[in-house]
Amino acid sequence: MKYSKRVLGIAIVAMFSVFMVACAGKKTQNSVSSQNSAVHERVNTIEFMSTWGGVDSKAGCLKEIIAKFESENSTIKISNQSIFGDEYLPTLKTRFASGNEPDVFGLWPGSDIKHLVKANKLADLTDKLKQDRTWMDSFNQESFQYTTYGNRIYGIPFELVFEGLFINRDLFDKYNVKIPENYEELKTAIQTFRANGIIPIAYNSSAEGSYLYQNMVASLGGSKGIEESIVDGKINKYYIEAMKYVKELYDMKAFPKDALILNSNERNQLFFTKQAAMIVQGSWFIPYFDKYDKSVEMIPFPSMSDSSPKIPTGLGGGTFYISKSAWDTPTGENSTLIFLKYLTSKETAKYFYDKTALLTNLNIELETPYSYLAQKSLNLYENISEEDKTPIPDHVIERSIWNDIVIQQFPYYLEGKKTAEEIWEEAVEKMH
């Protein structure tokens, strides 16, 4: 844990003076008191990192939550070091590698968390959760499976996310296009929109743009096909087949003409401004639309086979952990736990939903719908059978390999410069 130099300085001065000193901070066993002086309080500073920084839709709400927490817990200061976008994971990994890890942080489940568990870098929260059954029982118990390793719980499964196809319903109505339920209907919709000068699918060759590809993998392989990613030393066939379907859409001119150089914000803007009819995104996309906008809907990605549609689902970046380095300090365990319980409380969950449409694994009633789109999307998720909810592929494949090899070389594949097999052979070699 990190302590304020200013507070330590005040404490030293106070030892040599008779003036009363009051400072924001928590009383500790080391506090100095006298008959006619106030009790000195030590301020614990918690370094917190999440993806909810910058222009993220939850960034402003997070700042408000932190300010409220600090006003109610004068002994704890939160240093919010959240980062928006693709730089978050590399920054977090660099900090752990250099021994400068944050005290509390958020990260989606997957190989990166598994590596930290194996390296003994995370606090084991199992006993604390079992001791506070009110806290533990407030969550959907099945969600702990994603943060449990070796029968021990390391993360708090606060944020629920799922992916699907967002459509500009008004464009479908205008051009009399059937909302696609399968791949053939999707291709028909693409042809109609293209003929009318509308970009069928807002897509770019980024990690975020790969949600289209990931939904195809999920539809083709289901949960088993995603989870059993390596078969006989090679990538599962569904990862290859899905790439070939993306190539088919690329050749059909389903994407923006500059899709290979667009950034993610430019891609999103094509959908926001009705220049594109469809985009594959996640539930975190909901708050970018006006609360009363009924022109946008979220539907399952059209089925790629004869089976029912699938929805990739899991935990988002709002899955929170405490680093072992913070946990092992004299006051670290107590202060980080106080903050984590506050951050993942029902009150916080409701506040995030009211402000940003964040969906949670907490057992709470969302009485006031954030928006028409949020309610429709939540109904979609709840009405999909459990067997049709799949893991998210880039939560299964190591994220650095996914981003640095598969996604980085996707444009070469689309342009016919590399084969899907060549790209995945390189990725699988790195996975061993």
Side-chain angles (χ1 to χ4, degrees), residues 70-138:
E70 290 180 333
S71 70
E72 296 175 13
N73 297 270
S74 62
T75 58
I76 304 175
K77 173 74 176 176
I78 306 300
S79 175
N80 182 13
Q81 301 170 9
S82 297
I83 300 172
F84 172 78
D86 294 338
E87 291 304 310
Y88 178 75
L89 182 58
T91 302
L92 182 67
K93 293 172 74 171
T94 297
R95 290 191 60 171
F96 267 96
S98 64
N100 186 36
E101 56 264 35
D103 302 317
V104 179
F105 68 97
L107 188 64
W108 48 87
S111 56
D112 295 295
I113 282 295
K114 291 179 182 178
H115 290 322
L116 293 178
V117 171
K118 290 179 180 178
N120 196 30
K121 293 287 188 178
L122 302 182
D124 182 344
L125 303 176
T126 312
D127 294 338
K128 295 298 180 182
L129 282 161
K130 290 181 177 179
Q131 290 167 12
D132 188 345
R133 292 303 309 191
T134 300
W135 184 35
M136 186 170 186
D137 292 344
S138 66

Side-chain angles (χ1 to χ4, degrees), residues 361-377:
N361 284 297
L362 283 159
N363 299 314
I364 57 175
E365 291 291 331
L366 301 174
E367 297 176 355
T368 305
Y370 172 81
S371 67
Y372 172 83
L373 176 59
Q375 190 60 59
K376 292 275 286 187
S377 302

Side-chain angles (χ1 to χ4, degrees), residues 322-341:
I322 298 175
S323 65
K324 199 167 187 304
S325 60
W327 192 256
D328 288 344
T329 60
T331 58
E333 177 182 318
N334 183 57
S335 57
T336 55
L337 200 58
I338 290 172
F339 176 58
L340 190 57
K341 287 184 178 183

